[in-house]
Amino acid sequence: MSNIGSYETRHRTFSWKLAEGELEYGKSGNYNIGYFCTDRIGELGNGTRVGLIWEGFTGEVRRYTYDDLRIHSNAFAIMLRQLGLQPGDRICIFMDRIPELYISFIGILKMGGIAQPLFSAFGEEALAMRLEDAETKAILTTRKHLGKVRRTRPSLPHLTRTIVVDAGDRPLERGEIAFSMEKAQRVENIEIAKVTPETPSVLHYTSGTTGKPKGALHVHSSIIAQHITTKWVLDLQDDEIYWCTADPGWVTGTSYGIIGPWACGVTQAVLDAGFSAHKWYAFIEKHNVTVWYSAPTAIRLLMKEGLEPVGKHNLSSLRHLVSVGEPLNAEAVIWSEKAFGRPFHDSYWQTETGSIMISNYPGMKIKPGSMGKPFPGITAAVVNPKTFEPITTAGTVGLIAIKPGWPSMFRTYWNNQETYEKKFKNGWYISGDRSSVDADGYFWFVGRDDDVINTAGHLVGPFEIESALLEHPAVAESAAVGKPDPINMEVVKAFIALKPGNQKSDDLTIDIMNFIRKKLSPLAMPQEVEYVDSLPKTRSGKIMRRLLRAKEWGEEIGDVSTLEND
Ligand code: PRX
């Protein structure tokens, strides 16, 4: 029997108060996520249960019980306090997927800090931009990424503490502190920071069309929604071995790769290694993974490898599969049924929503290609893009809109309340995605309503790429757009006009690609560069990415009446 049971009944009887009750949120005056993810599990009598099975790229395996998670996260909290860090300070985690990443996240929350996880593959510029915007006080990192941190530090006056979790006895520079989680004193209990449900907890940066990436700020009571959606959508039950393939640099990796599963007290497995079908299947087999939360790009990569590697492994432990981040194509759902004997269930949400908004639930009929229905307690609709009134005709495309008020909704964009307020129209939160709803209430994703590029489930802002491209000595003008890709859905394509005296060449293309990879990240790196004499612009001088994108997708170009040089 699934946790959700009947979707219809849950939908009818749901209230967020009930969800709060399921978690006993606020019990004995405690609202801190850190408490709910570690100490509370011990209080429920499950402290000796394994909370984290970690496997590194060399095959090394480490296991941590909930008692270990509590004690190690206490050590992080004590260390941060001793360094003079205060509740409300932004503390960045910049590491690969090692145990310290997951456990320090809890430690930061326990001392009242705001955790700011950043993807460790980010280059200096991507890192610096986000640390500068958040006026981040401290960064936790490893030797592998220390060079990038060191190079950003001179431009970041607020960043006064760099904590290196694997420094050992190696010499460090001024302002750098060595800290070993394993060697730290084991403190059973600490005074966990007293927070209210509205105290900020996590700051996740996300890309938009214009301007720099924006920091979506979440609060401690987000856990109410993360816990109940983990229970009902991911269907985590007591003895689960759960694997979320997402990196905590992105919201899926914190909401459902740390907070949700640990609030449920289950065992979660983490693989800190790159993608290979064989490695992934071996991981599932070795650790008896039962519930798997992944992404369409990964599923398409597995599809590409075919059924043969599936047959070489015993994957019978798998019982529930869920996907997020990009459109889950019907073929992927059908293939997973063939390969694993069960379909992937699509789920839809955003950094800003903090938890799953629309999904296919265990037991509910799946329509392959549809994102499913709103979570109980979530009122979602598609609205007219001009009037922001709900569209009631089945099959008509509009903007996905959600009625505000769910616990994990972001509370602002860091230092950017104005942009935050623009996301609300006519009493709805406007997601910026287009969809239709069919006669049975199922949502069908159509596309984004802006120029943001979704590559392998990760959003990349064209503005960030274009700004970085302009720093290349040969580039005069540039535009970055998404280009269709059979695996990653979209990849970045750059259109570039060169400065006089520069000639297009393969060497230059490779140089430009590497320039972006190093500055921003491998995801932001253009997979293709097209040289043009000039870029299409509006009369006011804005580059018309829409036109370039439409050509890539073979779409109608639409209204070009504002084009300057058509
Ligand atoms: O465009 C939608 C797409 O990913 C965006 C949110 O990205 P991000 O804030 O990085 O959070 C990703 C993880 C929750 C959405 O605005 N997206 C997410 N899930 C789906 C999706 N597109 C289609 N189908 C989905 N299931």
Side-chain angles (χ1 to χ4, degrees), residues 17 30 42 44 51 186 196 200 223 229 236 256 278 320 341:
K17 268 271 160 256
N30 232 319
L44 293 173
R186 290 174 71 87
T196 73
I223 193 173
T229 47
L236 296 195
Y256 297 104
H278 164 70
H320 187 47

Side-chain angles (χ1 to χ4, degrees), residues 27 29 83 183 226 231 286 339 380 393 437 477 504 542:
K27 191 185 165 199
L83 289 177
K183 290 196 184 130
Q226 289 147 348
K231 233 171 137 170
K286 180 165 163 191
T393 321
V437 183
E477 278 188 335
K504 61 179 180 183
K542 242 176 88 186

Side-chain angles (χ1 to χ4, degrees), residues 91-104:
I91 302 175
C92 172
I93 313 172
F94 191 53
M95 302 176 197
D96 295 349
R97 279 178 273 176
I98 57 174
E100 284 85 345
L101 162 49
Y102 297 80
I103 298 171
S104 67

Side-chain angles (χ1 to χ4, degrees), residues 1 82 96 109 117 146 155 160 181 201 209 230 260 320 324 375 523 532 537:
M1 176 72 177
Q82 283 173 349
D96 295 349
L109 297 177
L146 188 55
S155 65
T160 52
M181 174 183 91
S201 54
T209 311
T230 302
H320 187 47
V324 67
F375 186 77
L523 291 167
V532 290
K537 291 191 212 72

Side-chain angles (χ1 to χ4, degrees), residues 93-98 101 117-124 127 141-142 144-145 148 247-250 272 520-522:
I93 313 172
F94 191 53
M95 302 176 197
D96 295 349
R97 279 178 273 176
I98 57 174
L101 162 49
L118 291 178
F119 187 41
S120 62
F122 275 155
E124 284 160 53
L127 174 68
T141 192
T142 56
K144 181 173 167 193
H145 302 291
K148 287 188 279 189
D247 186 296
W250 313 96
D272 183 22
L520 298 179
S521 74

Side-chain angles (χ1 to χ4, degrees), residues 233-234 292-297 299-300 320-330 332-333 336 343-349 356-362 364-375 400 435 442-446:
V233 182
L234 303 178
W292 185 14
Y293 197 22
S294 200
T297 291
I299 303 164
R300 287 190 291 267
H320 187 47
L321 318 177
V322 190
S323 159
V324 67
E326 14 155 5
L328 179 65
N329 42 324
V333 177
S336 71
F344 265 94
H345 293 65
D346 197 6
S347 70
Y348 164 87
W349 56 294
I356 295 166
M357 296 287 105
I358 296 172
S359 188
N360 290 282
Y361 307 91
M364 190 179 90
K365 179 180 171 228
I366 292 183
K367 296 191 187 184
S370 158
M371 302 193 292
K373 296 187 181 189
F375 186 77
I400 300 177
S435 169
Y442 282 71
F443 282 65
W444 295 80
F445 187 83
V446 174

Side-chain angles (χ1 to χ4, degrees), residues 424-547:
F424 298 88
K425 302 265 193 279
N426 193 27
W428 293 93
Y429 163 72
I430 307 297
S431 67
D433 288 314
R434 290 177 298 131
S435 169
S436 65
V437 183
D438 70 16
D440 299 326
Y442 282 71
F443 282 65
W444 295 80
F445 187 83
V446 174
R448 287 188 63 93
D449 193 42
D450 60 18
D451 292 336
V452 172
I453 302 160
N454 187 336
T455 179
H458 295 117
L459 303 189
V460 189
F463 177 81
E464 206 178 345
I465 303 170
E466 290 161 7
S467 307
L469 280 169
L470 290 179
E471 290 173 37
H472 190 282
V475 176
E477 278 188 335
S478 72
V481 300
K483 167 189 156 75
D485 182 84
I487 299 288
N488 297 292
M489 189 174 92
E490 286 184 284
V491 290
V492 176
K493 172 164 180 182
F495 290 86
I496 289 176
L498 292 171
K499 283 185 184 157
N502 290 283
Q503 293 301 322
K504 61 179 180 183
S505 71
D506 289 348
D507 284 352
L508 179 61
T509 300
I510 289 171
D511 189 61
I512 289 173
M513 287 175 171
N514 278 326
F515 185 76
I516 299 301
R517 184 176 55 79
K518 279 208 197 117
K519 264 189 185 297
L520 298 179
S521 74
L523 291 167
M525 182 181 87
Q527 303 286 324
E528 191 181 322
V529 173
E530 185 173 327
Y531 296 98
V532 290
D533 294 334
S534 69
L535 290 163
K537 291 191 212 72
T538 60
R539 290 203 181 92
S540 58
K542 242 176 88 186
I543 291 170
M544 292 194 83
R545 290 193 203 99
R546 183 168 56 90
L547 199 136

